[in-house]
Amino acid sequence: MTKALPSVSRPAQPGFATFEDPHHSLLIDGDGEPDFGAIQTSEEFLQLKRRVTRFILPATLLFLAWYVTFVLLSAYAADFMSTPLFGTVNVGLTMGFLQFVTTIIITMAYARYSKRKLDPQVEKVRALAETDEELA
C-alpha cells in the first residue's frame, strides 16, 4: 500500500491522503468548511466573548442607570429639572442634551476598544478556520 506524500512546494490541504494525524490548528471539518462548533469552544473565541462582555456590560449598565435617572427626575422632580441654568436653558434640557453626548462618547470609546482589543482577537479566531486556499 502506498502512502500519498505532499509535495515539497505546497503543504497538504484538507482531504489530502496521508496516514498521519493532522497536526494543524485549523478548525475545519472534513469538507474543508469551518467547524463552527469547535470554533465556539476554542480558547480564542471564548477570549473574544470575554473581551466583548468586559466592555458591553459595564457600558450598558452605566448608560441605562444614567438614562433611568434622567427619566425619573423628569417624572418626579419637575422643580429640580426646571431649575434655570442660564437664559432659558434649564437642568432638564441640559441633561437631555447630555444623553446625546454620552451616546457619542460611548460609541467613540467602543470604536477605540474594538480596534485595540477586539480586532486582534477576531483575527486569531478567523485564523482558526482559514484554509490554505484562503491564505494564498
Side-chain angles (χ1 to χ4, degrees):
M1 185 170 199
T2 60
K3 182 175 180 181
L5 298 174
S7 69
V8 178
S9 64
R10 66 179 175 89
Q13 295 180 7
F16 190 81
T18 135
F19 292 107
E20 289 123 19
D21 291 332
H23 295 292
H24 56 74
S25 62
L26 297 179
L27 298 178
I28 52 178
D29 62 16
D31 297 328
E33 297 295 322
D35 184 355
F36 294 110
I39 290 171
Q40 288 176 348
T41 59
S42 70
E43 183 56 37
E44 289 84 359
F45 186 80
L46 296 174
Q47 178 67 23
L48 177 62
K49 284 176 52 177
R50 282 190 294 270
R51 286 183 181 183
V52 168
T53 304
R54 191 175 298 147
F55 182 90
I56 297 295
L57 188 63
T60 301
L61 293 177
L62 285 172
F63 184 79
L64 285 176
W66 162 233
Y67 179 74
V68 168
T69 300
F70 171 69
V71 170
L72 290 175
L73 286 173
S74 296
Y76 298 108
D79 292 338
F80 171 71
M81 295 296 271
S82 62
T83 304
L85 294 177
F86 53 89
T88 58
V89 177
N90 60 22
V91 172
L93 285 173
T94 304
M95 287 182 71
F97 175 73
L98 289 175
Q99 292 290 318
F100 292 103
V101 172
T102 305
T103 302
I104 292 167
I105 290 171
I106 290 172
T107 302
M108 290 180 358
Y110 180 75
R112 182 171 186 228
Y113 181 80
S114 177
K115 190 174 200 173
R116 293 176 64 229
K117 299 287 187 180
L118 299 181
D119 290 351
Q121 192 65 30
V122 167
E123 290 305 318
K124 290 179 183 177
V125 172
R126 282 186 181 150
L128 295 175
E130 287 180 343
T131 61
D132 292 332
E133 295 88 26
E134 291 172 345
L135 295 173

